[in-house]
Amino acid sequence: MSDQPLREPTLLILTAIADAPRHGYAIAREVEKISEGRTKMRTGTLYGALERLLEEALIAVHEEEVVDGRRRRSYALAPRGREVLAAEAARIARTAQEATRRLELGGSGAFGRAVTA
């Protein structure tokens, strides 16, 4: 991974498994909950993202079992994924803090004023 911000689906998936390992369906539900319903991951999209995150060593297979003849995996945050998520959370927090600071400095009087050069 680069120093670029995480894409929102990646951020949401990593966040969904930061506190406990989860299987695909539970991850999809957590993503929807964390995003307050804004993001609903389709099965193909979710499992494609999970495979990519496995390849990037951001997540790991926590457990694998066969249920009703189908393989069921649960995924956990890998140490590298924890580092990446922590760095992204800190970046987002700094940006939010700066936005709040600037809003407080700007007050409400700036709206509608002409900008002169």
Side-chain angles (χ1 to χ4, degrees), residues 1-5 80:
M1 289 225 75
S2 67
D3 291 336
Q4 295 296 314
R80 183 165 178 262

Side-chain angles (χ1 to χ4, degrees), residues 94-116:
R94 286 189 306 272
T95 302
Q97 184 177 18
E98 181 62 13
T100 301
R101 185 186 74 79
R102 289 177 184 226
L103 284 168
E104 290 169 353
L105 287 175
S108 61
F111 184 73
R113 288 195 306 218
V115 177
T116 57

Side-chain angles (χ1 to χ4, degrees), residues 7-41 46 77 85 88-89 92:
R7 293 179 299 169
E8 187 173 25
T10 299
L11 173 65
L12 292 169
I13 291 170
L14 295 180
T15 301
I17 62 173
D19 60 340
R22 290 187 168 80
H23 56 80
Y25 179 71
I27 293 170
R29 284 194 339 236
E30 284 296 306
V31 163
E32 189 172 348
K33 180 179 170 186
I34 293 164
S35 69
E36 299 176 332
R38 289 185 326 272
T39 302
K40 295 178 182 170
M41 299 200 81
L46 174 63
L77 204 55
L85 182 58
E88 182 68 359
I92 291 168

Side-chain angles (χ1 to χ4, degrees), residues 63-74:
E63 192 174 80
E64 193 168 11
E65 61 184 336
V66 177
V67 177
D68 295 329
R70 297 178 67 186
R71 183 177 67 178
R72 181 174 167 167
R73 287 180 167 180
S74 62

